[in-house]
Amino acid sequence: QVQLVESGGGLVQTGGSLRLSCAGSGRTFGTCAMGWFRQAPGKERELVATISWSTGSTYYADSVKGRFTASRDNAKTTLYLQMNSLKSEDTAVYYCAARRPATTAYEYWGQGTQVTVSS
């Protein structure tokens, strides 16, 4: 079992920055692939970024590439999403999620944290 807790959301003006954190725990947490998702009102949930615990390699959706950076701490207990140059269309509830090795579905989800970008 894996537990995930996000924090760091809030209200920010256009062009501002926020850093989201995702604290993870659980016996198999360190083996999971990690992802950040978001869901805006009336829209489907979308994948924002992924990061590999083992290699640190990352993937970003085109909509956030160059503005968002996913990272993890060396102890592999916390995942981060640094969000810069925020736009109003970044407003959403952001979730971190974990996927067990050799699986395709993200099985574990945090409770979500609200990010609101005002113009």
Side-chain angles (χ1 to χ4, degrees):
Q1 193 73 1
V2 172
Q3 294 80 39
L4 303 171
V5 179
E6 300 102 336
S7 61
L11 175 65
V12 64
Q13 291 188 330
T14 301
S17 298
L18 280 175
R19 188 175 81 157
L20 306 183
S21 299
C22 174
S25 61
R27 186 172 59 86
T28 60
F29 175 66
T31 67
C32 292
M34 301 300 299
W36 285 100
F37 291 78
R38 68 185 180 186
Q39 187 166 22
K43 295 188 177 181
E44 293 187 356
R45 184 172 59 200
E46 65 170 333
L47 177 64
V48 174
T50 65
I51 185 167
S52 166
W53 278 126
S54 57
T55 66
S57 62
T58 54
Y59 158 85
Y60 299 98
D62 287 343
S63 57
V64 305
K65 198 172 295 183
R67 300 187 299 121
F68 290 13
T69 303
S71 62
R72 82 268 197 246
D73 68 347
N74 290 335
K76 296 183 181 179
T77 60
T78 305
L79 182 70
Y80 302 100
L81 185 68
Q82 177 68 42
M83 307 185 296
N84 299 327
S85 303
L86 283 162
K87 307 175 181 179
S88 57
E89 52 262 44
D90 295 318
T91 295
V93 178
Y94 285 71
Y95 301 89
C96 65
R99 175 172 59 83
R100 288 182 292 156
T103 65
T104 58
Y106 283 86
E107 184 175 352
Y108 306 104
W109 294 83
Q111 82 285 0
T113 185
Q114 176 70 47
V115 171
T116 303
V117 184
S118 66
S119 57

